[in-house]
Amino acid sequence: MELVAGPLRLLFEIESGFLRRVCLGRRELLRGIYAAVRDENWRTIPPQILDFQPEVYADHFLLKFHCEHREGGIDFRWDGQVEGHSDGTIIYTLDGRAHATFRKNRIGFCVLHPIRECAGARTRQVRVGGEVIEGRFPSLIEPQIFGQSPLRDLCALAHEVQPGLWAELKFAGDLFEMEDQRNWTDASFKTYCTPLALPFPVLVKAGTRIQQRVELRLKGAKGRMPSARPTSRRTIVHLRLPGNASKWRPLPLLGLGMATHEEPLCEQEAAWLRALPLAHLRCDLPLSQPHWPALWRRAVRQARRLNLPLELALHLPSDLQAIPDTLARTLAASGVALARVAVLREGEAATSLVTLERVRRLLGRWLDSVPVGAGTNAHFCELNREQALGRVPWQEADFLFWPITPQVHAFDDVSLVETLEVQGDTLAKAAAFAPGKPCVISPVTLKPRFNAVATTAVASAARPDSLPENVDPRQSSLLAAGWTLGSLATLSVNGVSAFTYYETTGWRGVMETRSGSPSELGFHSVPGGVYPVYFVLAALDGFNEFAAPSTSGADQITTLALRDRLGRRRFVVANVRASRRKIQLHLPHGAWAVRTLHEENYLRYACHPEQFIREAGEVRHAVSSKLQLELGPCALAVVDELSDFPNQTVRGQRRPKHQPVCSTDSSP
């Protein structure tokens, strides 16, 4: 629901109670306000909105509703009210009560501040007791150290929107503090209730009442305010290829994780994986588990079958004396090539110098020419914190590594796409504290692989009627393909050395297994077929350089420009919005071949991906150096530059396999 409060324009999600994108003209003041219920392991209990009563007018509104968070033993219900006034004031109130006794880590409001507008902006915080502190939002990612937030004990927080104009927030009902959510690749700073320095989890008794209030006001020299009229959603996206040769850079090394299920690769799966431009296969080897030798043998078999070196994530036991005596002999005897070794240890938030040195001594000559890295298996947050505390041996390591997942605090499609804005910020922060050190992002997964912040033991097995917590049903969706394209682009542009995405097959892979998945659990896929994300990775094949196209109006469009050794170019473009988008490509004059993957034709190619890859596509000419596309919801387009004679062989070599082949029969 699009709403107006005087000069402000905003969105309200009726199904979640999430207030989003509070904007003054084109400037975003707040990314969002929402109420969260987190259990003792920081898992979010989803809201259910009931009895929604809107009163909406031209320049003000009043929304009333009832919300319930009920899951397992948790039962918290509240009445919500959102007021928007004609002077730009917005007030969000919560009045709730626990209807059961349960343990919680947080109940209440979270306020999100947009990164691009707020990073480095002036702030004015008012702490409980009346102390006023002038400062700024951090530019680089602030380490998350409990009790040391520079913005804490807040009853009010304002930031400068433009010279003389401030957006002021007032909080009531709890203590608030701020954290830099870029530590988890959320595209926001978050001001939240209940400081983390206080003990958690906390027992909430049945009948406990919780009341909170967040108020936003514009303060200072308002002058002439921009119009709050809704912006057009039909804006054409303009994409331009880089004209400067220096903008083209080598593509980072791409890999996949080994599947965590135990089904072996069939010949068809192995063939499709060998068709991707992969540089390594990741294997996680937990030495405290008795089955690690069998896991290593399986990894070696798969690496040989795919003709790939292994990226070995070596998980040492917390007691270094418990490292198996046979480790070095077992690894060396396999004869498999290693791309790198990422060193981890149980109980360590990030690799320590002691752990790094122990691995080098233990494996000795076998690692002489293999890069050995330090990092974390949790989130960039842990690496950033441990580095700030002086515990990361980045100078002694050959590279730094950390994983990325877009779903730590929010799980909806919009929030998922927003994380693409800040994945590169983790690389910028690493470059600041470890200049010149190669960085590896491994792995990238849609869902966290495990709960890194659980305060109690979390059952690893899924309920029979639900997917495991580390599985996202969107893995097999077109949205996941567009998100992955955006992730590849932003990490490449920001200087990643190598990255590992997902797994080979299965629920968390790039293709389904032969046996398929039970659709009644909500995971919809084609048994034995590839997921849409496979086509994104396949689009990189045959190309050695990339560039970020210049854009305008590219909200919720992801794109990457590619170039091969002969200078021919490719555009890969995805629409990650649930509505159609018009895109205008500004291209050199000539013929271009366009192939699209969308919800109407995906099933045609799922079990025959080579047909899409080899398809000639629709040959179109850039008129006045412009070519227009229209992409449906979450659709993907591959646009190839053609020579005058597409079927001719290049002198002295075969035609690159990425170039579309003209065919008289393009039927599936």
Side-chain angles (χ1 to χ4, degrees):
M1 175 179 285
E2 192 159 16
L3 301 167
V4 171
L8 302 183
R9 186 181 72 255
L10 57 144
L11 299 171
F12 183 78
E13 289 187 352
I14 300 170
E15 71 277 8
S16 66
F18 202 135
L19 197 68
R20 289 188 183 270
R21 299 291 179 105
V22 181
C23 294
L24 178 66
R26 295 190 177 186
R27 188 173 184 88
E28 191 175 2
L29 304 185
L30 293 181
R31 176 56 54 97
I33 305 175
Y34 66 97
V37 176
R38 316 276 198 204
D39 74 3
E40 59 188 325
N41 290 315
W42 291 107
R43 290 181 292 194
T44 301
I45 310 304
Q48 182 181 11
I49 301 295
L50 306 170
D51 192 25
F52 180 64
Q53 301 174 31
E55 297 178 25
V56 179
Y57 305 96
D59 64 350
H60 64 286
F61 61 87
L62 175 63
L63 312 177
K64 295 181 180 180
F65 56 90
H66 180 73
C67 185
E68 298 184 355
H69 303 256
R70 303 171 69 181
E71 187 175 281
I74 291 181
D75 187 348
F76 183 76
R77 311 175 196 180
W78 54 283
D79 293 316
Q81 181 169 294
V82 187
E83 307 168 45
H85 298 269
S86 58
D87 64 352
T89 298
I90 296 173
I91 302 171
Y92 201 156
T93 57
L94 172 157
D95 187 352
R97 193 178 299 274
H99 288 254
T101 297
F102 56 88
R103 290 160 66 85
K104 63 92 176 177
N105 285 351
R106 175 174 300 148
I107 294 179
F109 281 124
C110 297
V111 180
L112 308 182
H113 313 264
I115 293 296
R116 296 296 166 238
E117 287 83 355
C118 289
R122 292 174 61 195
T123 62
R124 182 182 298 132
Q125 55 176 306
V126 181
R127 293 186 176 176
V128 175
E131 182 183 11
V132 179
I133 300 175
E134 303 280 347
R136 291 184 180 273
F137 280 111
S139 295
L140 293 174
I141 303 177
E142 185 80 15
Q144 172 77 353
I145 303 176
F146 295 155
Q148 295 188 25
S149 171
L151 291 97
R152 62 184 183 274
D153 299 332
L154 299 173
C155 59
L157 174 64
H159 75 273
E160 191 174 38
V161 178
Q162 59 193 38
L165 180 63
W166 294 70
E168 181 186 69
L169 289 160
K170 290 185 177 179
F171 311 102
D174 202 343
L175 284 177
F176 284 73
E177 68 182 14
M178 195 208 77
E179 68 185 14
D180 192 335
Q181 288 205 124
R182 291 175 293 178
N183 278 296
W184 301 272
T185 65
D186 291 70
S188 58
F189 301 104
K190 180 173 71 178
T191 302
Y192 55 90
C193 63
T194 315
L196 289 173
L198 297 179
F200 62 85
V202 171
L203 186 69
V204 178
K205 293 185 177 181
T208 301
R209 189 178 184 186
I210 296 176
Q211 295 175 294
Q212 290 185 14
R213 172 187 172 105
V214 174
E215 180 179 320
L216 169 68
R217 290 185 183 272
L218 295 173
K219 293 283 190 176
K222 298 181 181 179
R224 184 177 179 181
M225 305 296 281
S227 169
R229 287 178 299 178
T231 55
S232 172
R233 294 183 180 273
R234 298 182 180 179
T235 303
I236 295 179
V237 177
H238 293 268
L239 301 178
R240 292 174 174 82
L241 281 168
N244 190 335
S246 65
K247 298 290 185 181
W248 294 91
R249 288 182 278 171
L251 273 168
L253 301 173
L254 171 68
L256 291 175
M258 191 172 73
T260 45
H261 63 75
E262 296 185 359
E263 289 187 38
L265 291 173
C266 71
E267 184 50 44
Q268 182 62 83
E269 291 167 345
W272 285 343
L273 291 169
R274 286 193 295 266
L276 296 177
L278 301 178
H280 60 268
L281 178 70
R282 174 176 167 127
C283 166
D284 284 81
L285 201 60
L287 299 181
S288 62
Q289 301 298 317
H291 68 283
W292 73 263
L295 183 60
W296 174 249
R297 290 191 294 271
R298 183 157 64 92
V300 169
R301 287 195 300 270
Q302 292 196 13
R304 287 174 174 164
R305 192 164 191 187
L306 299 177
N307 194 27
L308 292 174
L310 284 172
E311 175 184 81
L312 175 59
L314 191 60
H315 300 252
L316 274 62
S318 56
D319 180 6
L320 295 180
Q321 301 304 315
I323 296 175
D325 295 336
T326 57
L327 176 65
R329 189 165 58 253
T330 300
L331 299 184
S334 67
V336 70
L338 289 182
R340 64 191 64 85
V341 175
V343 179
L344 297 159
R345 181 179 171 189
E346 293 176 0
E348 284 186 347
T351 315
S352 68
L353 179 59
V354 170
T355 301
L356 190 71
E357 290 180 339
R358 182 60 182 270
V359 167
R360 284 203 165 115
R361 288 198 303 270
L362 188 68
L363 301 183
R365 294 180 180 178
W366 193 56
L367 292 179
D368 280 351
S369 59
V370 177
V372 179
T376 181
N377 197 39
H379 305 284
F380 183 76
C381 176
E382 282 71 20
L383 183 64
N384 199 19
R385 178 191 299 136
E386 295 302 295
Q387 164 59 26
L389 296 173
R391 300 172 181 166
V392 177
W394 66 267
Q395 291 175 312
E396 291 79 9
D398 296 320
F399 63 92
L400 292 175
F401 65 89
W402 60 92
I404 279 180
T405 177
Q407 297 182 81
V408 177
H409 300 106
F411 316 96
D412 57 278
D413 292 352
V414 174
S415 299
L416 188 82
V417 173
E418 286 174 350
T419 64
L420 298 174
E421 299 175 25
V422 295
Q423 287 187 5
D425 289 24
T426 62
L427 290 159
K429 181 59 186 281
F433 68 66
K437 191 65 64 175
C439 292
V440 173
I441 307 294
S442 180
V444 180
T445 56
L446 285 187
K447 280 286 204 70
R449 292 161 296 141
F450 61 96
N451 189 337
V453 292
T455 58
T456 64
V458 181
S460 58
R463 299 197 313 266
D465 61 342
S466 65
L467 290 170
E469 287 194 356
N470 58 12
V471 173
D472 191 325
R474 291 170 293 192
Q475 185 77 30
S476 60
S477 71
L478 283 160
L479 176 64
W483 184 88
T484 304
L485 175 63
S487 178
L488 288 164
T490 190
L491 293 177
S492 298
V493 166
N494 285 278
V496 71
S497 176
F499 34 35
T500 304
Y501 281 82
Y502 311 128
E503 296 179 2
T504 52
T505 64
W507 277 340
R508 297 193 290 169
V510 298
M511 64 181 71
E512 184 56 281
T513 59
R514 288 170 293 174
S515 56
S517 299
S519 59
E520 63 270 17
L521 298 185
F523 195 95
H524 302 288
S525 59
V526 178
V530 303
Y531 303 149
V533 67
Y534 178 92
F535 297 100
V536 171
L537 304 185
L540 306 181
D541 190 35
F543 293 87
N544 62 309
E545 292 182 317
F546 79 94
S550 58
T551 64
S552 63
D555 181 40
Q556 295 188 308
I557 289 289
T558 59
T559 181
L560 189 64
L562 303 165
R563 187 170 69 174
D564 70 6
R565 289 180 173 82
L566 300 174
R568 281 176 293 212
R569 291 159 289 193
R570 166 176 287 176
F571 253 122
V572 189
V573 188
N575 173 20
V576 287
R577 181 181 279 181
S579 56
R580 301 187 72 83
R581 297 300 305 274
K582 289 185 178 179
I583 302 165
Q584 189 156 280
L585 303 179
H586 295 257
L587 303 170
H589 179 74
W592 296 77
V594 180
R595 290 170 289 151
T596 58
L597 189 73
H598 47 76
E599 55 191 6
E600 287 82 18
N601 71 355
Y602 159 65
L603 291 178
R604 183 193 313 169
Y605 300 113
C607 291
H608 303 282
E610 68 283 353
Q611 290 186 357
F612 181 83
I613 293 169
R614 298 173 183 171
E615 197 173 77
E618 178 189 359
V619 178
R620 298 174 60 183
H621 292 268
V623 179
S624 300
S625 299
K626 297 176 184 176
L627 191 154
Q628 188 159 303
L629 300 175
E630 186 168 349
L631 292 181
C634 297
L636 172 77
V638 180
V639 183
D640 282 306
E641 185 175 22
L642 297 177
S643 62
D644 290 337
F645 303 99
N647 285 318
Q648 72 179 22
T649 56
V650 179
R651 187 175 182 181
Q653 57 185 301
R654 296 176 59 191
R655 175 187 54 78
K657 61 180 176 180
H658 71 264
Q659 185 176 344
V661 178
C662 291
S663 170
T664 56
D665 181 10
S666 59
S667 60

